[in-house]
Amino acid sequence: MLHIVNKSATERNSLESCLRMATKGSAVLLIEDAVYAATQGSVAAAKIQSAMADLQIYALGPDMEARGMAGRVLDGVKLVDYGGFVDLVTEHSTCQSWL
Amino acid sequence: MSDMMDDMDGGEGVVKKFMFVNRKAPHGTVYALEGLEVVLISAAFDQDVSMVFTDDGVYELIKGMNTKGIEVKDFSKTYRALEGYDIEKLYVEKASMEARGLSEDDLIVDVTVLDSAEMASLMAEQDVVISF
């Protein structure tokens, strides 16, 4: 399963719900305002770091760059471009968007 | 009511304290950009304008944005132009900044950092508060 989160973790509970439901071995892709959660020093960073034990965490590079956050990405979070986004979708049989 | 009539009759010389409260991250929603545009318009009316950045609104002021990849306008540089419109009262809430691992050095403009109590009293003394 590929989980896609697009809302800021400091404004909505989408990421929290996603991480609660995502099963071991699943992938989580952070896009749009959700990318802030994968930046150093953010209150949401701890949630991402502990989730990395069981889940693959990805973030969309262009969204990081647009927000001036490209230099602060948490270690272990894999950045993907739009092509990588498409690859993730095709590699997983199902996607769940946490709107 | 009579105050309101006075204001409208006068038309000039009435200066109110306007505060624009920004609580949304840029790009993900249109609030940040719309809020900035309203502030620029308000500058034409010679009012006492303050801008507050709290919660995810602090993210609006981050240096080094590059929006090329997502193909939207990078309006972050416009915050630097506010000074030219005599909008110089920019406030950031300390707790919001720290919760995001940010410091004043990460911001594109000079701001005054306030603790929550200071922010609360600044809000309380406004005539008009507009939120984005």
Side-chain angles (χ1 to χ4, degrees), chain B residues 9 31 34 40 44 56 58 60 62-63 78 82-83 85-87 98-99 102 104 107 110 114 124 127 131-132:
Chain B
D9 290 345
Y31 286 95
E34 293 288 322
L40 290 170
D56 278 359
V58 182
E60 294 178 25
I62 296 301
K63 268 182 202 164
T78 312
L82 289 169
E83 209 178 358
Y85 292 87
D86 290 327
I87 296 167
E98 289 175 352
L102 304 171
E104 277 183 80
L107 309 181
D110 289 334
L114 300 180
D127 297 309
S131 293
F132 290 96

Side-chain angles (χ1 to χ4, degrees), chain B residues 79-93:
Chain B
Y79 293 103
R80 283 195 182 145
L82 289 169
E83 209 178 358
Y85 292 87
D86 290 327
I87 296 167
E88 290 166 331
K89 296 180 180 172
L90 307 180
Y91 302 97
V92 167
E93 191 205 15

Side-chain angles (χ1 to χ4, degrees), chain A residues 71-85:
Chain A
R72 322 171 71 102
V73 182
L74 289 178
D75 288 345
V77 172
K78 298 176 199 74
L79 288 186
V80 293
D81 58 11
Y82 288 106
F85 188 161

Side-chain angles (χ1 to χ4, degrees), chain B:
Chain B
M1 186 63 195
S2 66
D3 280 356
M4 196 172 148
M5 291 303 287
D6 288 348
D7 288 358
M8 292 180 74
D9 290 345
E12 58 193 46
V14 181
V15 177
K16 290 189 176 181
K17 291 166 92 75
F18 278 76
M19 173 180 279
F20 294 91
V21 181
N22 298 278
R23 297 185 52 252
K24 298 280 200 296
H27 314 313
T29 66
V30 81
Y31 286 95
L33 173 58
E34 293 288 322
L36 182 57
E37 298 206 335
V38 171
V39 168
L40 290 170
I41 293 163
S42 78
F45 295 94
D46 293 324
Q47 297 296 303
D48 179 356
V49 174
S50 305
M51 278 183 96
V52 160
F53 299 88
T54 180
D55 301 306
D56 278 359
V58 182
Y59 286 135
E60 294 178 25
L61 300 179
I62 296 301
K63 268 182 202 164
M65 293 187 192
N66 176 5
T67 57
K68 223 173 164 182
I70 62 168
E71 297 183 18
V72 301
K73 183 176 164 186
D74 176 10
F75 55 90
S76 69
K77 290 173 183 70
T78 312
Y79 293 103
R80 283 195 182 145
L82 289 169
E83 209 178 358
Y85 292 87
D86 290 327
I87 296 167
E88 290 166 331
K89 296 180 180 172
L90 307 180
Y91 302 97
V92 167
E93 191 205 15
K94 192 166 188 272
S96 299
M97 193 169 71
E98 289 175 352
R100 287 159 184 78
L102 304 171
S103 72
E104 277 183 80
D105 293 340
D106 299 312
L107 309 181
I108 197 166
V109 281
D110 289 334
V111 299
T112 304
V113 177
L114 300 180
D115 65 31
S116 304
E118 291 168 325
M119 188 66 90
S121 43
L122 186 68
M123 285 179 176
E125 69 185 34
Q126 302 296 316
D127 297 309
V128 182
V129 179
I130 299 175
S131 293
F132 290 96

